[in-house]
Amino acid sequence: MNTLENIRSFWPRDQVFDFLIPDMPPDLDLTHGVILYLEGISVSFGGFKAVDDLNLYIQNGELRCIIGPNGAGKTTIMDIITGKTSPDTGSAWFGQRINLLKMNEPEIARSGIGRKFQKPTVFENHTVHDNLELAMVGNKQVWSTLTAKLNSVQQGNIEAVLETIGLKEKITARAGSLSHGQKQWLEIGMLLMQNPKLLLVDEPVAGMTQQETERTAELLTDLAGTRSVVVVEHDMEFVRSIAQEVTVLHQGRVLAEGRMDEVQNNQEVIEVYLGEENAPH
Amino acid sequence: MISYPKILQTDLGGSLLLGILMIAGLLVPLLNLTVNDTHLLHVSTYTMALLGKYLCYALLAIAVDLVWGYLGILSLGHGAFFTLGGYAMGMYLMRQIGTRGVYGHPLLPDFMVFLNWPELPWFWNGFNWFWFAMLMVIVVPGLLAYVFGWFAFRSRVTGVYLSIMTQALTYALMLAFFRNEMGFGGNNGLTDFKDILGFSLQSDETRAGLFVASVIALAGGYVSSRWVMNSRLGKLCTAIRDEEDRARFIGYRVEDAKLWVFTFSAVLAGIAGALYVPQVGIINPTEFAPLASIEIVIWVAVGGRATLYGAVIGAMIINYAKSYLTAALPDVWLFGLGALFILVTLFLPHGVAGLFRQGSFAFWWKKKETLTVVAERANL
Ligand SMILES: Nc1ncnc2c1ncn2[C@@H]1O[C@H](COP(=O)(O)OP(=O)(O)O)[C@@H](O)[C@H]1O
Ligand SMILES: [Mg+2]
């Protein structure tokens, strides 16, 4: 009798084994209009505080620029949001319901956060088309990936994204043969294929020509609105050209936040960062 | 008319390989069985068994190419999966001996009688059935690879550390199998096989059958590997090899993809081992030796990574050279192998298959390939 009970408790009928629960993130809940909450986040690497009690809120549909000198912790913040680094303290929520600190990288990606790395990272041995195909939203479990077939709607999506990022002629080119700027666009295109609600873009115009920079600015401003976009950038010219809201980061803390012209006139900001530009060489 | 299989349309190397295999699979047994052995065209049973052995090595090389060439996991322990498959077959063959052993015991293999064992160890049960042994050929290497991979990939061990772990795996198995009390025949291994499925292993007909089975296994291994690698999962594999983080951040559970391809590869290696044992007539723990696993990697490097047919070419060339050189100049072989590896790494980074792909006679095929791609796009 006892053993029978034990066996029963091992498999209660109203519960399901963990591995049978489908690997689906909860729905994104945006009822308060805020898509990303970072509160009290701190990370230290061997005693050095890379991010220090940081609070950051991103509105749905917003285009936010994060600026700050090298080593300010910008990339580390992206690492935390996307699950690469777990913070020592603090909380990170995607909408009202998704706790980012409880998820791993692929889960976060599938829940709707796309990330472009600081160094352009595409699959160089694949064609532009295949890079986008791999990134495409859908069931990404092993068996589904093995049996996946592109249908014409999906092919249409790929072509639409190619149009957006301006690489239509390069569809069959090997990604490794693209120019630096084109790789950056392709990576942004790969994010778009995932249908993300939040795009994190780390230094998109580093190493781009003037023309390429302008095109990228256009691209990013177009993307905001239906999605939220967070751009980390060094290039002040570029930030001025796209920024609505700017967050200035310094030594892992938020130094100032607000519209670009307000921030530009903030004395502290001028001292630590913006001043550099005007300082005599 | 049957249309040409789609996955081979853009695969010149694979098409040639399968063509050659088909011809060899028909011709070699025919020339062995029907041509008089004084005739010039006669293929001796020795040669046929040797070729059959190379075919098994070629399948093993394909297994390594899957994980190393496509997935970037340098496995230095694939010999373990091959040997386990071989032991599973060996156990079946041992139990077929019956009372024909030296001691004539109806149930126990000779080495157990010799060790004064009273009864068959539990894990030898079932191996009297062919189907059970064949199941084990797949399950044992597959399960080991799955468990090993589950721990290794989940904890994100990569690169040299992973390679060392695979070496340790095969080394540990070698030490274990050397021990008599493990129940696998100790350092002598399993040998003196008599027959398989009731057919004598000494007869030319059985030998021919095993050769044909090896041809089929290699062809099947090639086609299924090609199918996997042409799928989106295959594209994901090379994506993981080249930019693992990018793959993870577009939403793939990288460890799962690695785990399943690694397991599939281990199963192919196990099948290769199972076909190898009846053709060479023995399986012993030296097959687990770390050096044996490193040699497989050299076959793949010489043949050319991430092409599949390159692995086959490499396995064939090197093992032919090995058979020849170890007989003619036994001291030189290892130096020759080392030198070959260095030369290929320096001058042929894409291996022999690389030569072949750049070669001018591949030109007409390229043209055909472009046309197929264009045609496919037009269909959409
Ligand atoms: N994994 C790590 N280990 C140790 N230190 C790190 C690590 N990642 C970042 N850091 C340090 O944290 C600080 C913030 O880095 P980062 O976020 O990359 O700055 P940035 O604002 O330039 O993107 C730097 O001083 C960097 O050296
Ligand atoms: Mg950075």
Side-chain angles (χ1 to χ4, degrees):
Chain A
M1 191 61 211
N2 227 338
T3 34
L4 194 67
E5 223 125 83
N6 279 342
I7 292 171
R8 280 222 185 102
S9 71
F10 171 68
W11 194 357
R13 276 204 254 170
D14 54 343
Q15 276 176 29
V16 177
F17 281 126
D18 276 351
F19 69 88
L20 287 175
I21 300 173
D23 180 21
M24 286 269 291
D27 284 341
L28 182 62
D29 178 357
L30 296 172
T31 44
H32 293 258
V34 178
I35 195 164
L36 183 73
Y37 300 79
L38 297 182
E39 281 171 352
I41 299 264
S42 297
V43 194
S44 45
F45 296 112
F48 168 74
K49 279 219 158 174
V51 176
D52 188 6
D53 193 23
L54 176 108
N55 296 316
L56 185 70
Y57 305 93
I58 306 292
Q59 300 292 320
N60 189 20
E62 180 183 1
L63 171 61
R64 173 77 64 97
C65 283
I66 299 181
I67 58 175
N70 245 327
K74 305 178 299 283
T75 300
T76 308
I77 292 174
M78 299 213 161
D79 285 346
I80 292 167
I81 300 170
T82 53
K84 192 177 189 189
T85 303
S86 40
D88 305 331
T89 60
S91 54
W93 290 81
F94 185 37
Q96 254 73 249
R97 262 196 277 160
I98 303 178
N99 183 353
L100 293 174
L101 300 185
K102 288 216 166 118
M103 295 156 75
N104 61 28
E105 299 101 318
E107 281 166 358
I108 293 174
R110 279 180 313 218
S111 75
I113 298 183
R115 173 184 188 179
K116 198 197 84 61
F117 292 105
Q118 184 162 345
K119 170 181 164 285
T121 315
V122 294
F123 304 125
E124 307 229 330
N125 284 312
H126 285 310
T127 62
V128 168
H129 176 275
D130 287 354
N131 268 272
L132 295 178
E133 179 185 341
L134 277 169
M136 187 168 56
V137 65
N139 186 338
K140 288 183 172 166
Q141 281 166 350
V142 174
W143 186 255
S144 318
T145 311
L146 179 65
T147 53
K149 285 239 152 46
L150 266 187
N151 61 34
S152 53
V153 175
Q154 291 168 328
Q155 183 65 28
N157 286 343
I158 290 177
E159 269 152 32
V161 166
L162 279 171
E163 190 88 53
T164 311
I165 59 176
L167 291 178
K168 205 145 193 190
E169 277 74 57
K170 297 283 182 183
I171 181 164
T172 53
R174 221 174 57 92
S177 72
L178 299 180
S179 74
H180 179 81
Q182 289 170 329
K183 282 182 193 167
Q184 301 266 34
W185 292 331
L186 176 57
E187 198 178 354
I188 294 174
M190 288 164 75
L191 305 192
L192 294 180
M193 289 307 297
Q194 297 172 61
N195 249 341
K197 293 304 291 177
L198 174 63
L199 277 162
L200 306 174
V201 189
D202 203 347
E203 307 209 3
V205 298
M208 277 191 176
T209 63
Q210 183 63 33
Q211 255 182 339
E212 287 175 328
T213 304
E214 280 164 21
R215 281 224 45 210
T216 309
E218 243 171 74
L219 178 58
L220 290 175
T221 33
D222 281 353
L223 294 181
T226 46
R227 313 170 183 79
S228 312
V229 182
V230 175
V231 182
V232 160
E233 197 35 79
H234 254 353
D235 183 338
M236 289 309 299
E237 196 60 42
F238 176 74
V239 173
R240 268 185 215 113
S241 69
I242 64 168
Q244 299 159 0
E245 286 276 312
V246 181
T247 300
V248 184
L249 220 62
H250 183 53
Q251 296 179 344
R253 291 173 148 273
V254 174
L255 191 66
E257 204 163 58
R259 297 219 328 275
M260 187 65 186
D261 46 350
E262 293 166 13
V263 166
Q264 267 177 308
N265 295 323
N266 181 315
Q267 199 54 42
E268 260 183 305
V269 174
I270 292 172
E271 267 166 38
V272 306
Y273 188 61
L274 296 172
E276 282 174 19
E277 264 191 7
N278 307 322
H281 291 283
Chain B
M1 200 189 112
I2 310 163
S3 70
Y4 197 60
K6 203 171 166 200
I7 57 167
L8 295 175
Q9 276 172 7
T10 54
D11 182 15
L12 170 61
S15 305
L16 284 176
L17 171 71
L18 292 174
I20 293 169
L21 279 179
M22 203 151 89
I23 294 167
L26 291 171
L27 218 54
V28 171
L30 208 68
L31 294 180
N32 173 261
L33 295 174
T34 61
V35 177
N36 196 300
D37 56 359
T38 51
H39 196 279
L40 193 68
L41 284 174
H42 177 73
V43 174
S44 72
T45 305
Y46 171 79
T47 308
M48 186 165 67
L50 198 65
L51 290 174
K53 188 173 100 171
Y54 295 167
L55 293 175
C56 298
Y57 285 149
L59 181 55
L60 176 58
I62 285 182
V64 169
D65 195 24
L66 282 179
V67 294
W68 184 40
Y70 287 90
L71 208 44
I73 299 170
L74 176 56
S75 168
L76 298 177
H78 253 57
F81 307 123
F82 177 81
T83 312
L84 286 172
Y87 265 97
M89 175 62 105
M91 285 162 82
Y92 164 76
L93 296 173
M94 283 311 263
R95 298 218 40 193
Q96 295 313 102
I97 297 174
T99 53
R100 287 169 294 174
V102 178
Y103 298 105
H105 195 287
L107 203 58
L108 296 187
D110 280 347
F111 74 90
M112 292 184 194
V113 182
F114 183 74
L115 292 170
N116 287 321
W117 287 16
E119 57 184 18
L120 208 60
W122 63 268
F123 50 83
W124 276 76
N125 287 322
F127 279 94
N128 48 324
W129 298 310
F130 184 74
W131 67 266
F132 181 82
M134 291 309 101
L135 192 65
M136 290 301 119
V137 161
I138 289 167
V139 168
V140 173
L143 197 64
L144 177 67
Y146 188 89
V147 172
F148 177 88
W150 198 89
F151 286 107
F153 302 142
R154 204 143 299 241
S155 45
R156 299 200 184 166
V157 185
T158 52
V160 185
Y161 300 100
L162 188 60
S163 301
I164 292 173
M165 277 171 64
T166 57
Q167 277 266 284
L169 174 77
T170 195
Y171 188 63
L173 282 167
M174 179 178 75
L175 295 183
F177 274 68
F178 262 129
R179 304 182 69 89
N180 278 330
E181 61 269 32
M182 276 289 285
F184 296 106
N187 56 355
N188 294 322
L190 311 175
T191 187
D192 290 331
F193 309 131
K194 301 283 190 254
D195 49 31
I196 181 168
L197 289 168
F199 300 103
S200 165
L201 279 170
Q202 312 313 322
S203 83
D204 289 352
E205 286 79 8
T206 313
R207 292 306 187 119
L210 286 167
F211 179 85
V212 172
S214 307
V215 168
I216 293 170
L218 179 57
Y222 181 87
V223 172
S224 56
S225 299
R226 175 61 68 206
W227 178 68
V228 172
M229 286 307 144
N230 277 10
S231 75
R232 194 181 291 166
L233 181 64
K235 291 175 188 167
L236 176 63
C237 286
T238 37
I240 290 171
R241 178 193 68 194
D242 296 341
E243 294 287 355
E244 181 165 335
D245 266 344
R246 182 70 277 172
R248 203 171 260 134
F249 285 102
I250 52 177
Y252 289 101
R253 291 169 58 95
V254 167
E255 55 273 22
D256 288 359
K258 284 185 178 177
L259 184 57
W260 285 109
V261 174
F262 191 68
T263 304
F264 175 62
S265 155
V267 168
L268 288 185
I271 294 173
L275 283 161
Y276 169 85
V277 168
Q279 296 185 82
V280 299
I282 182 168
I283 180 78
N284 66 36
T286 54
E287 301 285 346
F288 280 120
L291 193 63
S293 290
I294 293 174
E295 262 189 48
I296 313 166
V297 169
I298 299 180
W299 306 342
V300 177
V302 169
R305 284 172 67 183
T307 57
L308 295 177
Y309 56 83
V312 175
I313 298 173
M316 295 282 177
I317 293 179
I318 298 193
N319 282 296
Y320 177 76
K322 185 178 183 175
S323 304
Y324 179 78
L325 275 181
T326 45
L329 305 157
D331 299 334
V332 181
W333 165 243
L334 269 182
F335 293 104
L337 185 65
L340 183 67
F341 184 55
I342 292 169
L343 286 176
V344 166
T345 320
L346 287 178
F347 298 110
L348 283 180
H350 299 290
V352 178
L355 270 183
F356 177 85
R357 269 193 297 184
Q358 289 146 19
S360 56
F361 79 92
F363 176 74
W364 65 269
W365 192 271
K366 278 262 171 55
K367 225 165 96 185
K368 184 161 169 265
E369 185 177 328
T370 342
L371 288 178
T372 335
V373 172
V374 170
E376 262 171 35
R377 294 220 180 286
N379 272 341
L380 268 169

